[in-house]
Amino acid sequence: MKLSIAIADTHALPSAFVVYRGFDLCIPKAACLGFSGVELALKRADEIHPVRMQTLLDEHRMEVSCISTGQVYADDGLMFTDPKADKRQQVRAVFRELIDLAENFGGLVNIGRVRGQIGDSPRAEAENLFIELAQELCDYAAPRRVTLILEPVNRYEIDFVNSVEEGVELMRKVDRPNMMLMPDVFHMNIEDRSLGPELARHIAYVKYIHLADSNRLAPGQGHLDFPAIFEALLGAGYDGWVSAEILPVPDPDLAARRTAEYLLPMIATYNQNTSEKRVSGALSKTVGYR
Ligand code: LER
Ligand code: MN
């Protein structure tokens, strides 16, 4: 398991949901705090200069964990479920470029609120519009070894795919191996029947996890039981990224520091237990062969 933190560019609107703003300044800061990666919160692929970004990442031994797309919705109002074909064409164009970028940066592109609202349309109509475009983009992404990750988001932000279970149902309809889930424990705390057990139940679809506490502050500042969540993930064999997507409160540096101080020791223990599990799994297989 590796820990990442969400970063947007300096010009991102206040609606960009990130801890840090400014790649040049904040990637080094995140590296100093012990994060292994950064989640790039983008509106367009051309916010990134690939060579400059790779140099910055290499210099600080950092990786891109994922490209997230909240601003494509929040800033531009673009949605997969938009009944207007020209609007969906814009989504298609923006996502193709983000997928091209992800080919060399992280291999994951998130679909959060940009999947869109159902609103007053019949549910099946919105669902079909989503499925059609998601399938097409998955097929574009597959030869580039990129996976799209759908994030269930709570009902107060969107009316389409609120729980992890609903996410799994929709993914099954999309029916592409490179369409996976990105659960966010903040939303799960509102929508799902449990956190750890529900993550474990759907682990085959879980590719990436957003972490925030119940109040959307740094983990450890609210009332979510992170040790229990990690224990369930360990039992289920999760070995991917977890990424802090929290409010920059009381300020970005302190929010990031609190996240690192709370989660990094837990992740170190997690990874030790994962490798011990692997060794004992390998040993019991060896014994089994005798
Ligand atoms: C996006 O990752 C998310 O979790 C949304 O709640 C942002 O508003
Ligand atoms: Mn999230």
Side-chain angles (χ1 to χ4, degrees), residues 17 113 151 153 157 184 187 210 216 245:
F17 199 85
R113 291 170 300 165
E151 179 181 11
V153 169
E157 296 187 45
D184 178 325
H187 300 303
H210 268 164
R216 231 157 184 193
E245 190 199 38

Side-chain angles (χ1 to χ4, degrees), residues 1-73:
M1 178 186 278
K2 288 187 285 192
L3 181 62
S4 160
I5 189 161
I7 302 192
D9 202 356
T10 42
H11 66 256
L13 289 183
S15 56
F17 199 85
V18 291
V19 186
Y20 277 143
R21 283 158 193 276
F23 304 122
D24 291 341
L25 183 69
C26 296
I27 288 177
K29 280 186 181 184
C32 275
L33 287 172
F35 290 88
S36 303
V38 285
E39 177 178 320
L40 303 177
L42 302 181
K43 186 173 136 184
R44 293 285 182 277
D46 64 10
E47 287 173 89
I48 298 293
H49 187 294
V51 175
R52 193 180 160 80
M53 175 57 72
Q54 194 58 60
T55 309
L56 190 61
L57 293 167
D58 291 346
E59 213 175 294
H60 298 280
R61 297 207 181 101
M62 292 285 267
E63 291 173 63
V64 169
S65 58
C66 144
I67 292 173
S68 58
T69 58
Q71 291 172 83
V72 180
Y73 169 83

